[in-house]
Amino acid sequence: AADTAANTTRAERRFDETLPAASAASSATHTRTHGSRTTIRGTIATSAEITVEFQPNAPHAPSPSTNSANQADTPHALLIPAIRRLFRNGPYVRYLLFRIPMTLAALLPSSLLPDFIKYVMQLEDWSLTLNLGLGITILSIFVSIPLLISLSRRYGKREVLTVACIIDGVVFCGGFFLEPKWVLDSGMLYLLSVFVGLGMAASFVLPDSMLGDVIDYDELVHGVRSEGLYTVVETNLQQFVEIVGGVLPALISGAYGFATLGGCTCGCGVKCSADYLRWQCRNDVGYACTSSFSSPPFYGDVHRRAPCAQQP
C-alpha cells in the first residue's frame, strides 16, 4: 500500500509540472482540463496498483499443493478399514448388544400405556388418566437425570445402569400380575409411571456417555478418532429398533383380533356425530342427558362399562 501511494504521488507531481499554464485562462478549458486530470490520475493510480501487485517481492497466497500437503499430514481413516475396526472393537459390540433390548424396554411401556388404560382398565375417560401418568413420567425423567449422573460419578456408569435395569425389571414383572382395577384404585399406576421415567432417563443418559468412553478408547489405541462412524451406526440401529418396537405390538395385537374402540364407530374420546351420544357400537348405543362421561345412559344398565373401552 505504501509503494502504491508513493508511485501515485510522483506520477501526479510530474503531470502537474508538464501541464501548460495557459490552460487555466478559460473556465471551459479549466473544466475540461480538470476532468482530464481526474481521469488521468485515476489511470495512473490503477497502473501503480497493478505494478505493485506483480512485484516479485509481494507476498503470494499459498498454493493448492501446499494446502494438499498440509491436509495429507492430518491422520484420517478409510471407510472400509474403519468399519472393520469398529466391529472388532469388543466394548462397542457389547454396547450394541445391550443397547437393542434397552431401547425396546424404554419404548414399550410408554407406547402400550394408552391401550392398557383404555382396554385393560376399561376406562371411558382414559385420556385424563393417561395424561396424568405421562406427566408423572416426564417429571420423574427430569428428577432422575441429575441423580443418575451423580451416582454414576460415584459408583461407575456400568454399575448404576445395571442396578437401574434390575429395579425396573423387578417392578414391571411384579406389576404384570396385579389386578388392573386395584392398580387404578390404589394409585399404583402413578407409582409405575415413576419407574417408567427412571428407566427412560437411564436409557437416555448413561449409554450415550458410555459410547463416548468407547470412542475415546478407540482413538487412544489406533490414533484415529472415528466418532462419526460410531455414532451413525449406533443411531441407525436404534432407529430401526424403535420402528420395530412401535410396529410389532400393533401387529401382534391385530393378529389376536384387536379392534380399535372395541369395534365401535365413536365414543371413548372420539366424538360422535349426534349430540348427547356417548358411544355408538354394533349392539349398544349410549344416549345420555349430557355429553359428560359420568352422565348415565337412558337405556340398559346405567352402571355398565362403555363397550368402546372393551375388546370383543
Side-chain angles (χ1 to χ4, degrees), residues 74-106:
T74 304
H76 62 280
L78 298 177
L79 180 60
I80 300 302
I83 294 177
R84 292 176 180 174
R85 189 181 73 249
L86 182 145
F87 287 103
R88 287 197 302 265
N89 189 337
Y92 184 68
V93 174
R94 291 193 296 272
Y95 170 84
L96 294 179
L97 290 178
F98 83 77
R99 187 65 163 153
I100 294 174
M102 176 172 290
T103 302
L104 286 174

Side-chain angles (χ1 to χ4, degrees), residues 260-267 270-272 277 279-282 308:
T260 305
L261 295 178
C264 301
T265 57
C266 63
V270 179
K271 184 175 177 57
C272 295
L277 182 60
W279 64 76
Q280 183 177 3
C281 306
R282 182 178 301 175
C308 57

